[in-house]
Amino acid sequence: MTKLLYDLVIVGGGPAGATAALYGARAGLSVVVLEKMLLGGEIVSTERLDNYPGFPEGITGADFGQLLEEQLKRWKVPVKKVVAEQVSLKGEVKKVFAAGEEIAGRAVIIATGTVPAMLNVDGEQTLRGRGVSYCATCDAAFFRGKEIAVVGGGDAALEETLFLARFATKIYLIHRRDAFRGVKELQERVLALPQVEVLWNTTVQKIAGERKVEALALIQDGRERNLPVSGVFIYIGRQPNTAFLRDELPLDEGGYIITNENMETALPLVYAAGDVRLKGLRQVITAAADGAIAATAAVTRLGVGI
Ligand code: NAP
């Protein structure tokens, strides 16, 4: 097994991890970022980022990720395209195991974000990628001229419905309650779209189809309903990406990492930043802020100047 040693190992290359890397590198630490997909993480598959300061016209998630990548290149931060499989964090040397390598650091920042929550109904797993999707930006174009459903009532469901409306001729927005959770501005824009029909008080019981999605079995206002659609986009919240930590770090009951305001976990020189930690507001701006705070705390503990 190859062994690599850095001052700071950052697991996750979203806005939290990338910002931490920038702060660490600028303070003179040897830093590595481990990212399973593209730099930028989840934001890369977001259509548009409209609430990050400095971009008056907004910016696409893909462009934002590209800018992060260029910025890390400028500071010569290596980004390894690997999935962290296991960690050993209790000793003085913090170890992350990925793709047959042991990547060790004097400090580690966990910034692995979240993954989409699943409905856990029949057909969801088997028809994933065959009409079941968790990413409108990735898959919307397959549903041009089609009738589809979106499940959820938060910001993500509303925002992605707006995007999908450019492709689908009809969108059933399925929500389990009689009021959305998402912000008012998004609600108003969604409700103004002629091709969107909201199915309130409705739950999905089953996703049906032979080789691709053909229909949803619903319970609407207590009654069964069969809804023919060719796709379903599921936006019912997210879950922290912490399974690889096993019992190395204390997590809350939802699996989020518990930190203090300096992003310190229960273990010395182990930090968490971004959506993966227990916090109130999960946005790009708060993820970036977490990353800056975590790296600064690590730099201070490691005894080098910023
Ligand atoms: P969320 O705010 O937690 O909303 C999840 C929605 O899914 C809720 O409406 C919830 O219903 C519903 N839901 C949960 N479990 C369900 C189930 N098993 N079956 C059916 N429906 C279910 O999640 P999110 O929309 O992914 O947003 C996550 C965070 O990211 C939020 O903090 C949000 O503000 C942020 N975000 C922000 C933006 C933006 O700023 N533009 C965009 C996207 C996301 P109930 O309402 O009944 O609980």
Side-chain angles (χ1 to χ4, degrees):
M1 181 179 278
T2 321
K3 292 188 183 184
L4 304 165
L5 179 66
Y6 297 87
D7 290 327
L8 180 58
V9 176
I10 299 170
V11 190
T19 307
L22 197 60
Y23 274 67
R26 294 190 73 234
L29 300 185
S30 63
V31 179
V32 66
V33 174
L34 315 183
E35 168 55 48
K36 65 179 174 183
M37 306 275 281
L38 293 170
L39 210 75
E42 185 60 26
I43 197 66
V44 172
S45 57
T46 300
E47 219 285 281
R48 200 153 196 88
L49 178 57
D50 258 334
N51 55 3
Y52 195 85
F55 297 97
E57 302 302 322
I59 180 167
T60 67
D63 285 349
F64 189 76
Q66 182 67 39
L67 290 176
L68 288 180
E69 191 169 333
E70 285 170 25
Q71 203 167 5
L72 290 202
K73 266 196 194 127
R74 182 177 156 218
W75 291 97
K76 300 190 170 45
V77 175
V79 178
K80 286 176 87 67
K81 298 272 177 227
V82 290
V83 178
E85 290 147 13
Q86 214 178 325
V87 292
S88 166
L89 302 176
K90 289 174 182 155
E92 202 167 316
V93 176
K94 317 294 174 193
K95 297 172 187 167
V96 181
F97 302 94
E101 284 183 340
E102 177 188 301
I103 303 152
R106 296 164 65 207
V108 66
I109 298 177
I110 310 290
T112 42
T114 56
V115 291
M118 296 184 65
L119 277 171
N120 293 320
V121 294
D122 272 3
E124 186 177 17
Q125 285 281 14
T126 48
L127 295 169
R128 188 172 182 156
R130 297 157 180 248
V132 174
S133 174
Y134 304 84
C135 177
T137 316
C138 318
D139 298 330
F142 298 123
F143 299 93
R144 197 180 292 279
K146 302 263 172 67
E147 300 209 347
I148 60 170
V150 174
V151 186
D155 286 336
L158 296 173
E159 204 162 78
E160 303 307 330
T161 297
L162 289 173
F163 179 64
L164 287 160
R166 294 196 222 153
F167 301 85
T169 44
K170 173 91 188 180
I171 301 175
Y172 296 94
L173 178 50
I174 298 171
H175 185 34
R176 64 182 178 182
R177 286 191 298 129
D178 61 356
F180 288 129
R181 177 182 294 275
V183 294
K184 197 155 181 284
E185 183 251 349
L186 287 174
Q187 292 191 30
E188 286 170 356
R189 286 170 60 201
V190 164
L191 294 173
L193 290 171
Q195 66 273 54
V196 174
E197 181 180 336
V198 183
L199 306 185
W200 302 108
N201 302 311
T202 303
T203 54
V204 178
Q205 303 298 302
K206 181 183 169 183
I207 302 171
E210 279 294 312
R211 290 205 308 276
K212 56 189 181 55
V213 170
E214 289 164 20
L216 303 181
L218 307 177
I219 302 277
Q220 184 175 12
D221 287 317
R223 283 195 293 277
E224 288 182 12
R225 174 175 176 184
N226 185 59
L227 185 75
V229 285
S230 41
V232 56
F233 287 81
I234 298 165
Y235 285 105
I236 58 163
R238 306 190 59 87
Q239 285 166 351
N241 213 349
T242 49
F244 72 102
L245 296 173
R246 307 226 163 83
D247 56 2
E248 286 286 306
L249 268 186
L251 309 173
D252 85 330
E253 68 277 6
Y256 289 95
I257 303 174
I258 300 162
T259 68
N260 65 14
E261 63 178 18
N262 289 325
M263 309 303 141
E264 290 165 328
T265 68
L267 297 177
L269 287 158
V270 178
Y271 305 84
D275 286 6
V276 75
R277 76 180 189 92
L278 187 62
K279 63 193 277 193
L281 183 63
R282 293 195 172 85
Q283 302 270 297
V284 177
I285 186 91
T286 61
D290 284 2
I293 293 167
T296 305
V299 166
T300 307
R301 277 295 291 268
L302 291 172
V304 279
I306 279 218

PDB file of all heavy atoms in Angstrom, residues 172-202:
ATOM      1  N   TYR A 172     -45.932  17.208 -12.752  1.00  0.00           N
ATOM      2  CA  TYR A 172     -46.732  17.038 -11.535  1.00  0.00           C
ATOM      3  C   TYR A 172     -45.778  17.209 -10.359  1.00  0.00           C
ATOM      4  O   TYR A 172     -44.828  16.421 -10.207  1.00  0.00           O
ATOM      5  CB  TYR A 172     -47.358  15.641 -11.489  1.00  0.00           C
ATOM      6  CG  TYR A 172     -48.338  15.394 -12.615  1.00  0.00           C
ATOM      7  CD1 TYR A 172     -47.921  14.771 -13.792  1.00  0.00           C
ATOM      8  CD2 TYR A 172     -49.667  15.806 -12.514  1.00  0.00           C
ATOM      9  CE1 TYR A 172     -48.808  14.556 -14.832  1.00  0.00           C
ATOM     10  CE2 TYR A 172     -50.558  15.590 -13.557  1.00  0.00           C
ATOM     11  CZ  TYR A 172     -50.119  14.968 -14.707  1.00  0.00           C
ATOM     12  OH  TYR A 172     -50.997  14.762 -15.741  1.00  0.00           O
ATOM     13  N   LEU A 173     -46.011  18.220  -9.547  1.00  0.00           N
ATOM     14  CA  LEU A 173     -45.164  18.450  -8.373  1.00  0.00           C
ATOM     15  C   LEU A 173     -45.879  17.826  -7.174  1.00  0.00           C
ATOM     16  O   LEU A 173     -46.942  18.299  -6.746  1.00  0.00           O
ATOM     17  CB  LEU A 173     -44.940  19.954  -8.188  1.00  0.00           C
ATOM     18  CG  LEU A 173     -44.115  20.402  -6.989  1.00  0.00           C
ATOM     19  CD1 LEU A 173     -42.797  19.651  -6.888  1.00  0.00           C
ATOM     20  CD2 LEU A 173     -43.859  21.906  -7.078  1.00  0.00           C
ATOM     21  N   ILE A 174     -45.300  16.746  -6.688  1.00  0.00           N
ATOM     22  CA  ILE A 174     -45.968  15.930  -5.671  1.00  0.00           C
ATOM     23  C   ILE A 174     -45.419  16.267  -4.290  1.00  0.00           C
ATOM     24  O   ILE A 174     -44.211  16.126  -4.041  1.00  0.00           O
ATOM     25  CB  ILE A 174     -45.742  14.426  -5.984  1.00  0.00           C
ATOM     26  CG1 ILE A 174     -46.369  14.091  -7.345  1.00  0.00           C
ATOM     27  CG2 ILE A 174     -46.286  13.546  -4.874  1.00  0.00           C
ATOM     28  CD1 ILE A 174     -46.021  12.706  -7.860  1.00  0.00           C
ATOM     29  N   HIS A 175     -46.295  16.722  -3.414  1.00  0.00           N
ATOM     30  CA  HIS A 175     -45.843  17.085  -2.069  1.00  0.00           C
ATOM     31  C   HIS A 175     -46.742  16.423  -1.024  1.00  0.00           C
ATOM     32  O   HIS A 175     -47.967  16.386  -1.192  1.00  0.00           O
ATOM     33  CB  HIS A 175     -45.852  18.601  -1.910  1.00  0.00           C
ATOM     34  CG  HIS A 175     -45.287  19.060  -0.602  1.00  0.00           C
ATOM     35  ND1 HIS A 175     -44.252  18.397   0.043  1.00  0.00           N
ATOM     36  CD2 HIS A 175     -45.616  20.097   0.199  1.00  0.00           C
ATOM     37  CE1 HIS A 175     -43.980  19.023   1.178  1.00  0.00           C
ATOM     38  NE2 HIS A 175     -44.790  20.058   1.290  1.00  0.00           N
ATOM     39  N   ARG A 176     -46.126  15.948   0.039  1.00  0.00           N
ATOM     40  CA  ARG A 176     -46.889  15.158   1.017  1.00  0.00           C
ATOM     41  C   ARG A 176     -47.790  16.009   1.918  1.00  0.00           C
ATOM     42  O   ARG A 176     -48.658  15.477   2.589  1.00  0.00           O
ATOM     43  CB  ARG A 176     -45.938  14.321   1.872  1.00  0.00           C
ATOM     44  CG  ARG A 176     -44.997  15.134   2.737  1.00  0.00           C
ATOM     45  CD  ARG A 176     -44.058  14.220   3.500  1.00  0.00           C
ATOM     46  NE  ARG A 176     -43.104  14.965   4.296  1.00  0.00           N
ATOM     47  CZ  ARG A 176     -42.146  14.403   5.021  1.00  0.00           C
ATOM     48  NH1 ARG A 176     -42.024  13.096   5.039  1.00  0.00           N
ATOM     49  NH2 ARG A 176     -41.314  15.143   5.712  1.00  0.00           N
ATOM     50  N   ARG A 177     -47.558  17.325   1.926  1.00  0.00           N
ATOM     51  CA  ARG A 177     -48.384  18.202   2.787  1.00  0.00           C
ATOM     52  C   ARG A 177     -49.180  19.178   1.919  1.00  0.00           C
ATOM     53  O   ARG A 177     -49.182  19.075   0.695  1.00  0.00           O
ATOM     54  CB  ARG A 177     -47.487  19.005   3.714  1.00  0.00           C
ATOM     55  CG  ARG A 177     -46.905  18.204   4.847  1.00  0.00           C
ATOM     56  CD  ARG A 177     -46.255  19.110   5.873  1.00  0.00           C
ATOM     57  NE  ARG A 177     -45.136  19.880   5.352  1.00  0.00           N
ATOM     58  CZ  ARG A 177     -45.011  21.196   5.482  1.00  0.00           C
ATOM     59  NH1 ARG A 177     -45.958  21.896   6.072  1.00  0.00           N
ATOM     60  NH2 ARG A 177     -43.941  21.806   5.006  1.00  0.00           N
ATOM     61  N   ASP A 178     -49.797  20.178   2.590  1.00  0.00           N
ATOM     62  CA  ASP A 178     -50.595  21.151   1.847  1.00  0.00           C
ATOM     63  C   ASP A 178     -49.908  22.520   1.773  1.00  0.00           C
ATOM     64  O   ASP A 178     -50.542  23.525   1.458  1.00  0.00           O
ATOM     65  CB  ASP A 178     -51.995  21.296   2.460  1.00  0.00           C
ATOM     66  CG  ASP A 178     -51.932  21.785   3.896  1.00  0.00           C
ATOM     67  OD1 ASP A 178     -50.809  21.929   4.430  1.00  0.00           O
ATOM     68  OD2 ASP A 178     -52.995  22.022   4.488  1.00  0.00           O
ATOM     69  N   ALA A 179     -48.605  22.558   2.101  1.00  0.00           N
ATOM     70  CA  ALA A 179     -47.853  23.818   2.002  1.00  0.00           C
ATOM     71  C   ALA A 179     -46.397  23.494   1.735  1.00  0.00           C
ATOM     72  O   ALA A 179     -45.865  22.510   2.274  1.00  0.00           O
ATOM     73  CB  ALA A 179     -47.980  24.601   3.309  1.00  0.00           C
ATOM     74  N   PHE A 180     -45.778  24.334   0.891  1.00  0.00           N
ATOM     75  CA  PHE A 180     -44.363  24.098   0.600  1.00  0.00           C
ATOM     76  C   PHE A 180     -43.496  24.584   1.754  1.00  0.00           C
ATOM     77  O   PHE A 180     -43.856  25.504   2.481  1.00  0.00           O
ATOM     78  CB  PHE A 180     -43.944  24.863  -0.662  1.00  0.00           C
ATOM     79  CG  PHE A 180     -44.500  24.282  -1.928  1.00  0.00           C
ATOM     80  CD1 PHE A 180     -45.163  25.085  -2.839  1.00  0.00           C
ATOM     81  CD2 PHE A 180     -44.333  22.934  -2.226  1.00  0.00           C
ATOM     82  CE1 PHE A 180     -45.658  24.566  -4.021  1.00  0.00           C
ATOM     83  CE2 PHE A 180     -44.833  22.401  -3.407  1.00  0.00           C
ATOM     84  CZ  PHE A 180     -45.499  23.226  -4.297  1.00  0.00           C
ATOM     85  N   ARG A 181     -42.328  23.999   1.837  1.00  0.00           N
ATOM     86  CA  ARG A 181     -41.323  24.417   2.807  1.00  0.00           C
ATOM     87  C   ARG A 181     -40.378  25.459   2.183  1.00  0.00           C
ATOM     88  O   ARG A 181     -39.810  26.283   2.884  1.00  0.00           O
ATOM     89  CB  ARG A 181     -40.523  23.165   3.219  1.00  0.00           C
ATOM     90  CG  ARG A 181     -39.392  23.374   4.161  1.00  0.00           C
ATOM     91  CD  ARG A 181     -38.702  22.044   4.393  1.00  0.00           C
ATOM     92  NE  ARG A 181     -39.578  21.111   5.084  1.00  0.00           N
ATOM     93  CZ  ARG A 181     -39.719  21.071   6.402  1.00  0.00           C
ATOM     94  NH1 ARG A 181     -39.031  21.882   7.164  1.00  0.00           N
ATOM     95  NH2 ARG A 181     -40.531  20.208   6.961  1.00  0.00           N
ATOM     96  N   GLY A 182     -40.228  25.420   0.876  1.00  0.00           N
ATOM     97  CA  GLY A 182     -39.270  26.286   0.170  1.00  0.00           C
ATOM     98  C   GLY A 182     -39.627  27.765   0.254  1.00  0.00           C
ATOM     99  O   GLY A 182     -40.756  28.128   0.607  1.00  0.00           O
ATOM    100  N   VAL A 183     -38.673  28.631  -0.108  1.00  0.00           N
ATOM    101  CA  VAL A 183     -38.869  30.080   0.059  1.00  0.00           C
ATOM    102  C   VAL A 183     -39.979  30.601  -0.865  1.00  0.00           C
ATOM    103  O   VAL A 183     -40.242  30.043  -1.928  1.00  0.00           O
ATOM    104  CB  VAL A 183     -37.560  30.896  -0.182  1.00  0.00           C
ATOM    105  CG1 VAL A 183     -36.528  30.589   0.873  1.00  0.00           C
ATOM    106  CG2 VAL A 183     -37.018  30.675  -1.575  1.00  0.00           C
ATOM    107  N   LYS A 184     -40.587  31.721  -0.437  1.00  0.00           N
ATOM    108  CA  LYS A 184     -41.780  32.256  -1.102  1.00  0.00           C
ATOM    109  C   LYS A 184     -41.504  32.605  -2.567  1.00  0.00           C
ATOM    110  O   LYS A 184     -42.320  32.336  -3.448  1.00  0.00           O
ATOM    111  CB  LYS A 184     -42.241  33.494  -0.335  1.00  0.00           C
ATOM    112  CG  LYS A 184     -43.637  33.929  -0.629  1.00  0.00           C
ATOM    113  CD  LYS A 184     -44.220  34.706   0.545  1.00  0.00           C
ATOM    114  CE  LYS A 184     -45.654  35.123   0.261  1.00  0.00           C
ATOM    115  NZ  LYS A 184     -45.750  36.244  -0.653  1.00  0.00           N
ATOM    116  N   GLU A 185     -40.347  33.182  -2.800  1.00  0.00           N
ATOM    117  CA  GLU A 185     -40.041  33.623  -4.172  1.00  0.00           C
ATOM    118  C   GLU A 185     -40.063  32.430  -5.130  1.00  0.00           C
ATOM    119  O   GLU A 185     -40.616  32.501  -6.228  1.00  0.00           O
ATOM    120  CB  GLU A 185     -38.662  34.311  -4.162  1.00  0.00           C
ATOM    121  CG  GLU A 185     -38.228  34.874  -5.488  1.00  0.00           C
ATOM    122  CD  GLU A 185     -37.082  34.089  -6.149  1.00  0.00           C
ATOM    123  OE1 GLU A 185     -36.482  33.217  -5.490  1.00  0.00           O
ATOM    124  OE2 GLU A 185     -36.819  34.347  -7.318  1.00  0.00           O
ATOM    125  N   LEU A 186     -39.502  31.310  -4.712  1.00  0.00           N
ATOM    126  CA  LEU A 186     -39.499  30.111  -5.563  1.00  0.00           C
ATOM    127  C   LEU A 186     -40.915  29.564  -5.713  1.00  0.00           C
ATOM    128  O   LEU A 186     -41.320  29.152  -6.804  1.00  0.00           O
ATOM    129  CB  LEU A 186     -38.577  29.039  -4.968  1.00  0.00           C
ATOM    130  CG  LEU A 186     -37.068  29.284  -5.065  1.00  0.00           C
ATOM    131  CD1 LEU A 186     -36.301  28.207  -4.308  1.00  0.00           C
ATOM    132  CD2 LEU A 186     -36.607  29.306  -6.528  1.00  0.00           C
ATOM    133  N   GLN A 187     -41.661  29.576  -4.622  1.00  0.00           N
ATOM    134  CA  GLN A 187     -43.045  29.086  -4.677  1.00  0.00           C
ATOM    135  C   GLN A 187     -43.834  29.861  -5.721  1.00  0.00           C
ATOM    136  O   GLN A 187     -44.544  29.279  -6.548  1.00  0.00           O
ATOM    137  CB  GLN A 187     -43.730  29.292  -3.327  1.00  0.00           C
ATOM    138  CG  GLN A 187     -43.196  28.444  -2.219  1.00  0.00           C
ATOM    139  CD  GLN A 187     -44.101  28.503  -0.986  1.00  0.00           C
ATOM    140  OE1 GLN A 187     -45.303  28.687  -1.076  1.00  0.00           O
ATOM    141  NE2 GLN A 187     -43.497  28.339   0.176  1.00  0.00           N
ATOM    142  N   GLU A 188     -43.694  31.185  -5.691  1.00  0.00           N
ATOM    143  CA  GLU A 188     -44.481  32.023  -6.607  1.00  0.00           C
ATOM    144  C   GLU A 188     -44.108  31.752  -8.057  1.00  0.00           C
ATOM    145  O   GLU A 188     -44.969  31.667  -8.927  1.00  0.00           O
ATOM    146  CB  GLU A 188     -44.261  33.502  -6.262  1.00  0.00           C
ATOM    147  CG  GLU A 188     -44.998  33.887  -4.987  1.00  0.00           C
ATOM    148  CD  GLU A 188     -44.621  35.262  -4.457  1.00  0.00           C
ATOM    149  OE1 GLU A 188     -43.720  35.915  -5.041  1.00  0.00           O
ATOM    150  OE2 GLU A 188     -45.225  35.668  -3.467  1.00  0.00           O
ATOM    151  N   ARG A 189     -42.812  31.588  -8.289  1.00  0.00           N
ATOM    152  CA  ARG A 189     -42.378  31.337  -9.670  1.00  0.00           C
ATOM    153  C   ARG A 189     -42.871  29.979 -10.168  1.00  0.00           C
ATOM    154  O   ARG A 189     -43.288  29.836 -11.309  1.00  0.00           O
ATOM    155  CB  ARG A 189     -40.856  31.443  -9.765  1.00  0.00           C
ATOM    156  CG  ARG A 189     -40.389  32.903  -9.685  1.00  0.00           C
ATOM    157  CD  ARG A 189     -38.893  33.026  -9.543  1.00  0.00           C
ATOM    158  NE  ARG A 189     -38.162  32.449 -10.639  1.00  0.00           N
ATOM    159  CZ  ARG A 189     -36.874  32.080 -10.574  1.00  0.00           C
ATOM    160  NH1 ARG A 189     -36.194  32.241  -9.462  1.00  0.00           N
ATOM    161  NH2 ARG A 189     -36.279  31.564 -11.608  1.00  0.00           N
ATOM    162  N   VAL A 190     -42.835  28.973  -9.286  1.00  0.00           N
ATOM    163  CA  VAL A 190     -43.304  27.633  -9.688  1.00  0.00           C
ATOM    164  C   VAL A 190     -44.812  27.640  -9.950  1.00  0.00           C
ATOM    165  O   VAL A 190     -45.294  27.126 -10.964  1.00  0.00           O
ATOM    166  CB  VAL A 190     -42.942  26.590  -8.599  1.00  0.00           C
ATOM    167  CG1 VAL A 190     -43.723  25.302  -8.778  1.00  0.00           C
ATOM    168  CG2 VAL A 190     -41.445  26.298  -8.622  1.00  0.00           C
ATOM    169  N   LEU A 191     -45.551  28.281  -9.042  1.00  0.00           N
ATOM    170  CA  LEU A 191     -47.018  28.262  -9.172  1.00  0.00           C
ATOM    171  C   LEU A 191     -47.494  29.056 -10.384  1.00  0.00           C
ATOM    172  O   LEU A 191     -48.598  28.846 -10.879  1.00  0.00           O
ATOM    173  CB  LEU A 191     -47.663  28.781  -7.878  1.00  0.00           C
ATOM    174  CG  LEU A 191     -47.442  27.874  -6.650  1.00  0.00           C
ATOM    175  CD1 LEU A 191     -47.956  28.527  -5.380  1.00  0.00           C
ATOM    176  CD2 LEU A 191     -48.091  26.502  -6.847  1.00  0.00           C
ATOM    177  N   ALA A 192     -46.636  29.945 -10.895  1.00  0.00           N
ATOM    178  CA  ALA A 192     -47.006  30.738 -12.075  1.00  0.00           C
ATOM    179  C   ALA A 192     -46.796  29.977 -13.386  1.00  0.00           C
ATOM    180  O   ALA A 192     -47.236  30.426 -14.445  1.00  0.00           O
ATOM    181  CB  ALA A 192     -46.184  32.034 -12.093  1.00  0.00           C
ATOM    182  N   LEU A 193     -46.149  28.816 -13.308  1.00  0.00           N
ATOM    183  CA  LEU A 193     -45.866  28.065 -14.543  1.00  0.00           C
ATOM    184  C   LEU A 193     -47.104  27.276 -14.992  1.00  0.00           C
ATOM    185  O   LEU A 193     -47.629  26.468 -14.219  1.00  0.00           O
ATOM    186  CB  LEU A 193     -44.720  27.067 -14.319  1.00  0.00           C
ATOM    187  CG  LEU A 193     -43.325  27.657 -14.128  1.00  0.00           C
ATOM    188  CD1 LEU A 193     -42.356  26.562 -13.707  1.00  0.00           C
ATOM    189  CD2 LEU A 193     -42.843  28.323 -15.417  1.00  0.00           C
ATOM    190  N   PRO A 194     -47.562  27.487 -16.231  1.00  0.00           N
ATOM    191  CA  PRO A 194     -48.783  26.795 -16.674  1.00  0.00           C
ATOM    192  C   PRO A 194     -48.634  25.279 -16.753  1.00  0.00           C
ATOM    193  O   PRO A 194     -49.613  24.551 -16.599  1.00  0.00           O
ATOM    194  CB  PRO A 194     -49.040  27.393 -18.065  1.00  0.00           C
ATOM    195  CG  PRO A 194     -47.735  27.983 -18.500  1.00  0.00           C
ATOM    196  CD  PRO A 194     -46.995  28.365 -17.255  1.00  0.00           C
ATOM    197  N   GLN A 195     -47.409  24.802 -16.987  1.00  0.00           N
ATOM    198  CA  GLN A 195     -47.248  23.351 -17.157  1.00  0.00           C
ATOM    199  C   GLN A 195     -47.064  22.603 -15.828  1.00  0.00           C
ATOM    200  O   GLN A 195     -46.890  21.388 -15.823  1.00  0.00           O
ATOM    201  CB  GLN A 195     -46.092  23.030 -18.128  1.00  0.00           C
ATOM    202  CG  GLN A 195     -44.697  23.398 -17.675  1.00  0.00           C
ATOM    203  CD  GLN A 195     -44.315  24.823 -18.025  1.00  0.00           C
ATOM    204  OE1 GLN A 195     -45.033  25.759 -17.691  1.00  0.00           O
ATOM    205  NE2 GLN A 195     -43.171  25.001 -18.679  1.00  0.00           N
ATOM    206  N   VAL A 196     -47.089  23.342 -14.702  1.00  0.00           N
ATOM    207  CA  VAL A 196     -46.911  22.677 -13.405  1.00  0.00           C
ATOM    208  C   VAL A 196     -48.264  22.501 -12.709  1.00  0.00           C
ATOM    209  O   VAL A 196     -49.038  23.457 -12.587  1.00  0.00           O
ATOM    210  CB  VAL A 196     -45.963  23.487 -12.491  1.00  0.00           C
ATOM    211  CG1 VAL A 196     -45.909  22.873 -11.088  1.00  0.00           C
ATOM    212  CG2 VAL A 196     -44.566  23.546 -13.099  1.00  0.00           C
ATOM    213  N   GLU A 197     -48.524  21.254 -12.298  1.00  0.00           N
ATOM    214  CA  GLU A 197     -49.723  20.991 -11.485  1.00  0.00           C
ATOM    215  C   GLU A 197     -49.256  20.420 -10.149  1.00  0.00           C
ATOM    216  O   GLU A 197     -48.531  19.421 -10.126  1.00  0.00           O
ATOM    217  CB  GLU A 197     -50.620  19.982 -12.229  1.00  0.00           C
ATOM    218  CG  GLU A 197     -51.893  19.664 -11.465  1.00  0.00           C
ATOM    219  CD  GLU A 197     -52.776  18.656 -12.217  1.00  0.00           C
ATOM    220  OE1 GLU A 197     -52.665  18.538 -13.467  1.00  0.00           O
ATOM    221  OE2 GLU A 197     -53.559  17.970 -11.537  1.00  0.00           O
ATOM    222  N   VAL A 198     -49.646  21.080  -9.060  1.00  0.00           N
ATOM    223  CA  VAL A 198     -49.219  20.598  -7.745  1.00  0.00           C
ATOM    224  C   VAL A 198     -50.219  19.568  -7.232  1.00  0.00           C
ATOM    225  O   VAL A 198     -51.426  19.810  -7.245  1.00  0.00           O
ATOM    226  CB  VAL A 198     -49.103  21.763  -6.730  1.00  0.00           C
ATOM    227  CG1 VAL A 198     -48.597  21.238  -5.386  1.00  0.00           C
ATOM    228  CG2 VAL A 198     -48.183  22.856  -7.258  1.00  0.00           C
ATOM    229  N   LEU A 199     -49.711  18.428  -6.824  1.00  0.00           N
ATOM    230  CA  LEU A 199     -50.558  17.424  -6.172  1.00  0.00           C
ATOM    231  C   LEU A 199     -50.246  17.491  -4.680  1.00  0.00           C
ATOM    232  O   LEU A 199     -49.236  16.951  -4.226  1.00  0.00           O
ATOM    233  CB  LEU A 199     -50.273  16.021  -6.730  1.00  0.00           C
ATOM    234  CG  LEU A 199     -50.354  15.828  -8.252  1.00  0.00           C
ATOM    235  CD1 LEU A 199     -50.172  14.362  -8.620  1.00  0.00           C
ATOM    236  CD2 LEU A 199     -51.667  16.353  -8.821  1.00  0.00           C
ATOM    237  N   TRP A 200     -51.089  18.214  -3.942  1.00  0.00           N
ATOM    238  CA  TRP A 200     -50.895  18.363  -2.498  1.00  0.00           C
ATOM    239  C   TRP A 200     -51.310  17.083  -1.784  1.00  0.00           C
ATOM    240  O   TRP A 200     -52.082  16.287  -2.332  1.00  0.00           O
ATOM    241  CB  TRP A 200     -51.759  19.513  -1.960  1.00  0.00           C
ATOM    242  CG  TRP A 200     -51.522  20.857  -2.597  1.00  0.00           C
ATOM    243  CD1 TRP A 200     -52.352  21.506  -3.455  1.00  0.00           C
ATOM    244  CD2 TRP A 200     -50.391  21.723  -2.400  1.00  0.00           C
ATOM    245  NE1 TRP A 200     -51.809  22.730  -3.812  1.00  0.00           N
ATOM    246  CE2 TRP A 200     -50.617  22.890  -3.183  1.00  0.00           C
ATOM    247  CE3 TRP A 200     -49.211  21.635  -1.650  1.00  0.00           C
ATOM    248  CZ2 TRP A 200     -49.712  23.949  -3.233  1.00  0.00           C
ATOM    249  CZ3 TRP A 200     -48.319  22.696  -1.702  1.00  0.00           C
ATOM    250  CH2 TRP A 200     -48.566  23.831  -2.474  1.00  0.00           C
ATOM    251  N   ASN A 201     -50.862  16.938  -0.569  1.00  0.00           N
ATOM    252  CA  ASN A 201     -51.269  15.809   0.284  1.00  0.00           C
ATOM    253  C   ASN A 201     -51.161  14.472  -0.440  1.00  0.00           C
ATOM    254  O   ASN A 201     -52.058  13.633  -0.369  1.00  0.00           O
ATOM    255  CB  ASN A 201     -52.719  16.002   0.777  1.00  0.00           C
ATOM    256  CG  ASN A 201     -52.847  17.291   1.538  1.00  0.00           C
ATOM    257  OD1 ASN A 201     -52.045  17.583   2.423  1.00  0.00           O
ATOM    258  ND2 ASN A 201     -53.837  18.104   1.181  1.00  0.00           N
ATOM    259  N   THR A 202     -50.068  14.317  -1.161  1.00  0.00           N
ATOM    260  CA  THR A 202     -49.917  13.142  -2.010  1.00  0.00           C
ATOM    261  C   THR A 202     -48.584  12.456  -1.728  1.00  0.00           C
ATOM    262  O   THR A 202     -47.549  13.135  -1.613  1.00  0.00           O
ATOM    263  CB  THR A 202     -49.977  13.556  -3.500  1.00  0.00           C
ATOM    264  OG1 THR A 202     -51.211  14.239  -3.715  1.00  0.00           O
ATOM    265  CG2 THR A 202     -49.879  12.360  -4.428  1.00  0.00           C
TER     266      THR A 202
END
